[in-house]
Amino acid sequence: MSLLLTGIGELTTNTDELGSRTDAALVIDGTHVAWVGPASAAPAADSAVDLEGRAVLPGWVDSHTHLVFAGDRTAEFGARMAGEPYRAGGIAVTVGATRAASDDELAEVLRRHVAEAVSQGTTYIETKTGYGLDVPNELRSARLAGQYADEVTFLGAHLVPPGVDADSYVDLVCGEMMDAVAPHVSWVDVFCETGAFDASESRAVLMAGAKHGLGLRVHGNQLDYGPGVRLAVELGAASVDHCTYLTKSDVDDLASSETVATLLPACDLSTRQPLPNAQALLNAGATVALASNCNPGSSYTTSMAFCVATAVLQMKMSVSEAVRAATWGGARALRREDEIGILKPGARADIHVLDAPSITHLAYRPGVPLTHSVYRAGQQAR
């Protein structure tokens, strides 16, 4: 069954050939886009919806979340807002709660947060393990995540659990844990940061993942200048995420590589860190993505629109740059840019309709819920 969306006031396609156009129309056929063009030339379809001048853009691609968790960290957040610094060790609190939770409890958290994200225009979502930190709990996290998320990443190297020797834990992650989890995930990630894993440990984890055929991702340069970006670029990682502290050499390395710089501004606000220098990356020619980093400790939001507004209002990105980073950029970070994050014939029909005439309203009216309707793989999800 085909569906014509007509009366589009502004259509953002993220493609060079189609660009951004007004008075547009789009045809969905099954799960994919079949036609894009001017409303006056729209072909017939089995049914039609007049969007009455609303803006249409690709659905948000949230390429960095941590949705397999249990427990609450509001006390930590409150302390941080009262002046205490952010420390990655708070992860251990969530690990204890996650290990104690039932499968049904963890599944409900996943279901609820994915539904919340979709209701706000997110149509493709990655999530990570990393709150189990032992073989059985990392394995069940991966299995549960695969039931709700579009992409799953193994993050056994999130933190060394309390009371465990670091060398022994890295050996466990690279060996028995990787062997168990790898069949259920597409990616491996590592928190390459002071207080988590150093460059040598991070390299070992990533190389072990590569031997299992997994794509590489890196948490890097969040809390200070460090080796995360260099390691990600050297090993050809799809993305390095956070990028809060970058040297000029880091920026140049990213600009000359295929590694995407994924920025997580909601996290930086919540941890009271500096915001990344998005313009330095863009000016150098690096590919930039925006993601929510939804997690219970440092960025408890599923709102990609909030991330976009923050990027525009506080990081000096243009609206079109921020929207592209939150759609096509996220798709590129997942190596899916030919099928998601774009609107063209043959692409997956992931469509976000705004209750506004243009994408500019995403930053012009920050905090206002502007999602009118959402199509995910051709099915109306809102």
Side-chain angles (χ1 to χ4, degrees):
M1 296 289 288
S2 58
L3 172 66
L4 169 65
L5 299 180
T6 190
I8 300 171
E10 178 190 76
L11 176 65
T12 299
T13 70
N14 285 339
T15 67
D16 291 337
E17 60 270 29
L18 296 170
S20 177
R21 55 180 60 204
T22 58
D23 193 24
L26 179 152
V27 175
I28 300 169
D29 192 353
T31 60
H32 288 73
V33 175
W35 182 88
V36 178
S40 60
D46 295 315
S47 60
V49 174
D50 185 353
L51 294 178
E52 300 177 332
R54 293 182 173 90
V56 168
L57 63 153
W60 304 129
V61 179
D62 195 347
S63 61
H64 184 129
T65 75
H66 304 253
L67 300 182
V68 191
F69 70 87
D72 178 90
R73 283 163 65 182
T74 53
E76 175 191 331
F77 176 80
R80 205 160 57 238
M81 296 306 99
E84 290 189 15
Y86 170 70
R87 296 182 178 88
I91 293 165
V93 175
T94 301
V95 171
T98 302
R99 288 178 176 178
S102 69
D103 287 5
D104 286 346
E105 288 169 331
L106 294 178
E108 174 56 22
V109 170
L110 273 159
R111 184 207 62 76
R112 177 165 54 87
H113 287 97
V114 170
E116 183 180 272
V118 171
S119 74
Q120 301 172 85
T122 297
T123 53
Y124 203 88
I125 193 164
E126 178 268 9
T127 202
K128 308 175 194 298
T129 71
Y131 291 128
L133 305 191
D134 61 21
V135 175
N137 282 293
E138 283 296 295
L139 177 56
R140 76 163 176 157
S141 293
R143 285 173 167 165
L144 288 168
Q147 297 175 26
Y148 295 90
D150 298 287
E151 304 263 351
V152 183
T153 299
F154 170 47
L155 185 58
H158 200 182
L159 199 73
V160 178
V164 179
D165 174 73
D167 289 340
S168 299
Y169 186 68
V170 171
D171 288 344
L172 177 67
V173 170
C174 295
E176 182 184 356
M177 193 182 290
M178 188 83 69
D179 291 341
V181 176
H184 305 279
V185 302
S186 301
W187 304 93
V188 63
D189 200 343
V190 60
F191 191 11
C192 183
E193 196 71 61
T194 300
F197 298 89
D198 64 22
S200 177
E201 294 163 340
S202 298
R203 180 187 299 274
V205 170
L206 295 171
M207 294 301 292
K211 288 179 181 177
H212 282 77
L214 302 180
L216 309 184
R217 324 189 72 76
V218 176
H219 279 59
N221 299 65
Q222 177 188 3
L223 304 178
D224 206 343
Y225 300 99
V229 167
R230 292 194 301 274
L231 183 63
V233 170
E234 176 193 339
L235 297 182
S239 72
V240 55
D241 300 16
H242 284 291
C243 296
T244 309
Y245 292 90
L246 298 180
T247 64
K248 185 179 184 304
S249 178
D250 291 331
V251 172
D252 291 342
D253 285 348
L254 286 164
S256 62
S257 77
E258 297 297 312
T259 300
V260 175
T262 301
L263 311 183
L264 310 172
C267 178
D268 296 311
L269 290 176
S270 177
T271 57
R272 291 187 168 168
Q273 296 281 106
L275 288 162
N277 190 341
Q279 279 305 314
L281 289 162
L282 291 168
N283 291 342
T287 301
V288 171
L290 290 172
S292 73
N293 190 26
C294 182
N295 75 84
S298 63
S299 184
Y300 197 14
T301 182
T302 54
S303 175
M304 288 290 285
F306 174 72
C307 298
V308 166
T310 300
V312 174
L313 297 173
Q314 298 196 49
M315 293 163 60
K316 300 181 181 179
M317 295 178 77
S318 70
V319 175
S320 59
E321 287 170 342
V323 166
R324 183 175 174 83
T327 52
W328 185 88
R332 177 62 183 158
L334 295 169
R335 296 299 187 254
R336 302 281 187 186
E337 70 274 17
D338 289 333
E339 56 182 312
I340 60 172
I342 55 173
L343 293 176
K344 68 176 184 179
R348 198 172 99 152
D350 287 351
I351 296 164
H352 186 190
V353 182
L354 299 182
D355 205 0
S358 73
I359 58 172
T360 301
H361 284 244
L362 290 161
Y364 181 50
R365 304 194 69 206
V368 176
L370 293 177
T371 297
H372 173 270
S373 51
V374 179
Y375 294 83
R376 194 179 188 197
Q379 296 297 308
Q380 188 164 1
R382 169 176 172 161

